[in-house]
Amino acid sequence: MSNLDTTPDVTLCHPASDQAVARLYTPRAVPLGGLRGIQVDRLMPQRALPTVGAWCFLDHFGPHEEPMRVLPHPHIGLQTVTWPLAGEIRHRDSVGSDVIVRPGQLNLMTAGRGVVHSEISADSLLHGLQLWVALPSSHALVEPAFEQHVTLPRLVSSSLEATVLIGSLGDLTSPATAYTPLLGADLRVGGEATVPLRASFEHAVLAVDSPLEVAGTAVPAGALLYLGTGRTDLSLRGSGRAFLLGGEPFPDDLVMWWNFVGRSHEEIVAARTAWEASDTSRFGIVTGHGGDRIPAPGLPGVRLTPRRRHPNE
Ligand code: MN
């Protein structure tokens, strides 16, 4: 998946809250142009919640029976995490990957200095999450890479099934490559459960398909509860699926525009220019699409400037 907004927002990700809080965020529907009216529920970034740890983007798509056909498009400065809940997606990219992305398997693409990929649904039913992780400045320009983890650590109890996509939950650690202290876990709750958290991390929980009680707060299906930092455990109650995000509050201000994460207006403009010029030395090529690609939208008529976190919203 990709940010196919034709007029993408400019977002600055800013350092976060330094205490435990419980704030609910509802998604905004974003139509994806050219995809027969498909829309996604965008949970991050939001004006008041640009990041949770290094997580800087969260889309919830489906369940629906519309095919997904996302032609080659570029990314820089981030990792994409594709987490299908139902349906299969064929992923191809400029580092030579051509894989089927299946539920329960982690697909992690590191864009670094530049990557191109396409995603075409291989199934009629589609439901899933697409997340981005901002790379720290020390690794923002790493070589692009793709990894698929078919087997991930799982914690199974009578009331909880947890799959650790990235980072550690208790003593379970994912093999996925992360460049900052981070956590991503899929939780299936059936009753009452508690999972351990790191107090130095900030966390948020998405109630994917059912209302859940999270840390004593009722979270409607489809909503995200931001929990701040300073918590050592998380209580969950109800029956349904949740997604837990966490990480050490991201230290840098980030400029996000379209499918790019950077630290300055100039960096974003350079990436857009290279894509529009078909600069294959920057982005490489995805084979199998001929010349089909998603053109970059026009830049806003103003300089891409930071947008600050608004802690009281
Ligand atoms: Mn993409």
mmCIF file of all heavy atoms in Angstrom, residues 147-165:
data_model
loop_
_atom_site.group_PDB
_atom_site.id
_atom_site.type_symbol
_atom_site.label_atom_id
_atom_site.label_comp_id
_atom_site.label_asym_id
_atom_site.label_seq_id
_atom_site.Cartn_x
_atom_site.Cartn_y
_atom_site.Cartn_z
ATOM 1 N N GLU A 147 12.461 -7.883 3.675
ATOM 2 C CA GLU A 147 12.502 -9.157 4.389
ATOM 3 C C GLU A 147 11.094 -9.657 4.660
ATOM 4 O O GLU A 147 10.182 -8.870 4.925
ATOM 5 C CB GLU A 147 13.322 -9.059 5.681
ATOM 6 C CG GLU A 147 12.917 -7.973 6.634
ATOM 7 C CD GLU A 147 13.975 -7.718 7.725
ATOM 8 O OE1 GLU A 147 14.936 -6.964 7.486
ATOM 9 O OE2 GLU A 147 13.809 -8.270 8.818
ATOM 10 N N GLN A 148 10.946 -10.970 4.543
ATOM 11 C CA GLN A 148 9.651 -11.595 4.831
ATOM 12 C C GLN A 148 9.878 -12.596 5.958
ATOM 13 O O GLN A 148 10.772 -13.439 5.870
ATOM 14 C CB GLN A 148 9.129 -12.312 3.589
ATOM 15 C CG GLN A 148 7.728 -12.884 3.783
ATOM 16 C CD GLN A 148 7.129 -13.427 2.492
ATOM 17 O OE1 GLN A 148 7.754 -14.227 1.810
ATOM 18 N NE2 GLN A 148 5.921 -12.998 2.168
ATOM 19 N N HIS A 149 9.085 -12.481 7.006
ATOM 20 C CA HIS A 149 9.203 -13.401 8.146
ATOM 21 C C HIS A 149 7.939 -14.245 8.209
ATOM 22 O O HIS A 149 6.874 -13.771 8.587
ATOM 23 C CB HIS A 149 9.408 -12.611 9.436
ATOM 24 C CG HIS A 149 10.693 -11.844 9.453
ATOM 25 N ND1 HIS A 149 11.904 -12.440 9.696
ATOM 26 C CD2 HIS A 149 10.961 -10.538 9.189
ATOM 27 C CE1 HIS A 149 12.874 -11.530 9.619
ATOM 28 N NE2 HIS A 149 12.320 -10.369 9.299
ATOM 29 N N VAL A 150 8.103 -15.488 7.796
ATOM 30 C CA VAL A 150 6.965 -16.414 7.753
ATOM 31 C C VAL A 150 6.623 -16.886 9.161
ATOM 32 O O VAL A 150 5.465 -17.106 9.494
ATOM 33 C CB VAL A 150 7.312 -17.608 6.822
ATOM 34 C CG1 VAL A 150 6.258 -18.693 6.906
ATOM 35 C CG2 VAL A 150 7.474 -17.106 5.391
ATOM 36 N N THR A 151 7.649 -17.013 9.994
ATOM 37 C CA THR A 151 7.432 -17.458 11.372
ATOM 38 C C THR A 151 7.812 -16.327 12.318
ATOM 39 O O THR A 151 8.896 -15.762 12.208
ATOM 40 C CB THR A 151 8.308 -18.688 11.677
ATOM 41 O OG1 THR A 151 8.043 -19.666 10.670
ATOM 42 C CG2 THR A 151 7.981 -19.267 13.031
ATOM 43 N N LEU A 152 6.910 -16.018 13.210
ATOM 44 C CA LEU A 152 7.143 -14.953 14.179
ATOM 45 C C LEU A 152 6.879 -15.501 15.574
ATOM 46 O O LEU A 152 6.090 -16.442 15.740
ATOM 47 C CB LEU A 152 6.183 -13.777 13.903
ATOM 48 C CG LEU A 152 6.424 -13.026 12.593
ATOM 49 C CD1 LEU A 152 5.221 -12.162 12.239
ATOM 50 C CD2 LEU A 152 7.685 -12.161 12.693
ATOM 51 N N PRO A 153 7.519 -14.928 16.587
ATOM 52 C CA PRO A 153 7.280 -15.411 17.950
ATOM 53 C C PRO A 153 5.832 -15.175 18.382
ATOM 54 O O PRO A 153 5.264 -14.113 18.095
ATOM 55 C CB PRO A 153 8.253 -14.596 18.801
ATOM 56 C CG PRO A 153 8.818 -13.553 17.927
ATOM 57 C CD PRO A 153 8.521 -13.876 16.509
ATOM 58 N N ARG A 154 5.266 -16.171 19.047
ATOM 59 C CA ARG A 154 3.865 -16.084 19.477
ATOM 60 C C ARG A 154 3.738 -16.466 20.944
ATOM 61 O O ARG A 154 4.388 -17.381 21.414
ATOM 62 C CB ARG A 154 2.993 -17.041 18.657
ATOM 63 C CG ARG A 154 3.035 -16.768 17.186
ATOM 64 C CD ARG A 154 2.052 -17.668 16.478
ATOM 65 N NE ARG A 154 0.821 -16.959 16.237
ATOM 66 C CZ ARG A 154 -0.313 -17.532 15.886
ATOM 67 N NH1 ARG A 154 -0.403 -18.838 15.785
ATOM 68 N NH2 ARG A 154 -1.384 -16.806 15.657
ATOM 69 N N LEU A 155 2.852 -15.740 21.581
ATOM 70 C CA LEU A 155 2.515 -16.026 22.964
ATOM 71 C C LEU A 155 1.051 -16.462 22.957
ATOM 72 O O LEU A 155 0.194 -15.740 22.450
ATOM 73 C CB LEU A 155 2.672 -14.739 23.783
ATOM 74 C CG LEU A 155 2.076 -14.737 25.181
ATOM 75 C CD1 LEU A 155 3.087 -15.353 26.133
ATOM 76 C CD2 LEU A 155 1.768 -13.313 25.618
ATOM 77 N N VAL A 156 0.780 -17.653 23.478
ATOM 78 C CA VAL A 156 -0.593 -18.144 23.469
ATOM 79 C C VAL A 156 -1.012 -18.490 24.892
ATOM 80 O O VAL A 156 -0.336 -19.253 25.576
ATOM 81 C CB VAL A 156 -0.727 -19.389 22.554
ATOM 82 C CG1 VAL A 156 -2.163 -19.894 22.563
ATOM 83 C CG2 VAL A 156 -0.286 -19.064 21.133
ATOM 84 N N SER A 157 -2.100 -17.876 25.331
ATOM 85 C CA SER A 157 -2.681 -18.242 26.625
ATOM 86 C C SER A 157 -4.172 -18.437 26.415
ATOM 87 O O SER A 157 -4.668 -18.293 25.300
ATOM 88 C CB SER A 157 -2.414 -17.146 27.657
ATOM 89 O OG SER A 157 -3.237 -16.025 27.393
ATOM 90 N N SER A 158 -4.899 -18.711 27.478
ATOM 91 C CA SER A 158 -6.334 -18.996 27.322
ATOM 92 C C SER A 158 -7.102 -17.772 26.835
ATOM 93 O O SER A 158 -8.140 -17.892 26.200
ATOM 94 C CB SER A 158 -6.911 -19.495 28.645
ATOM 95 O OG SER A 158 -6.691 -18.508 29.630
ATOM 96 N N SER A 159 -6.596 -16.574 27.097
ATOM 97 C CA SER A 159 -7.343 -15.371 26.741
ATOM 98 C C SER A 159 -6.603 -14.460 25.760
ATOM 99 O O SER A 159 -7.101 -13.383 25.429
ATOM 100 C CB SER A 159 -7.660 -14.576 28.010
ATOM 101 O OG SER A 159 -6.459 -14.272 28.691
ATOM 102 N N LEU A 160 -5.434 -14.877 25.308
ATOM 103 C CA LEU A 160 -4.649 -14.003 24.436
ATOM 104 C C LEU A 160 -3.772 -14.814 23.489
ATOM 105 O O LEU A 160 -3.153 -15.797 23.879
ATOM 106 C CB LEU A 160 -3.727 -13.111 25.289
ATOM 107 C CG LEU A 160 -2.851 -12.129 24.504
ATOM 108 C CD1 LEU A 160 -3.692 -11.014 23.896
ATOM 109 C CD2 LEU A 160 -1.765 -11.544 25.394
ATOM 110 N N GLU A 161 -3.756 -14.362 22.252
ATOM 111 C CA GLU A 161 -2.802 -14.880 21.279
ATOM 112 C C GLU A 161 -2.056 -13.666 20.754
ATOM 113 O O GLU A 161 -2.659 -12.805 20.108
ATOM 114 C CB GLU A 161 -3.587 -15.530 20.133
ATOM 115 C CG GLU A 161 -3.068 -16.867 19.680
ATOM 116 C CD GLU A 161 -3.965 -17.405 18.570
ATOM 117 O OE1 GLU A 161 -5.029 -17.951 18.906
ATOM 118 O OE2 GLU A 161 -3.588 -17.242 17.398
ATOM 119 N N ALA A 162 -0.777 -13.572 21.055
ATOM 120 C CA ALA A 162 0.003 -12.403 20.640
ATOM 121 C C ALA A 162 1.074 -12.827 19.654
ATOM 122 O O ALA A 162 1.764 -13.819 19.865
ATOM 123 C CB ALA A 162 0.654 -11.743 21.858
ATOM 124 N N THR A 163 1.191 -12.093 18.564
ATOM 125 C CA THR A 163 2.248 -12.321 17.582
ATOM 126 C C THR A 163 3.131 -11.078 17.565
ATOM 127 O O THR A 163 2.631 -9.964 17.377
ATOM 128 C CB THR A 163 1.653 -12.553 16.183
ATOM 129 O OG1 THR A 163 0.734 -13.641 16.255
ATOM 130 C CG2 THR A 163 2.736 -12.871 15.170
ATOM 131 N N VAL A 164 4.423 -11.278 17.766
ATOM 132 C CA VAL A 164 5.349 -10.142 17.831
ATOM 133 C C VAL A 164 5.951 -9.921 16.447
ATOM 134 O O VAL A 164 6.746 -10.710 15.962
ATOM 135 C CB VAL A 164 6.454 -10.388 18.876
ATOM 136 C CG1 VAL A 164 7.324 -9.144 19.020
ATOM 137 C CG2 VAL A 164 5.849 -10.783 20.209
ATOM 138 N N LEU A 165 5.544 -8.833 15.801
ATOM 139 C CA LEU A 165 6.042 -8.528 14.453
ATOM 140 C C LEU A 165 7.443 -7.952 14.504
ATOM 141 O O LEU A 165 8.298 -8.278 13.686
ATOM 142 C CB LEU A 165 5.142 -7.493 13.768
ATOM 143 C CG LEU A 165 3.843 -7.952 13.143
ATOM 144 C CD1 LEU A 165 2.827 -8.319 14.208
ATOM 145 C CD2 LEU A 165 3.291 -6.874 12.240
#
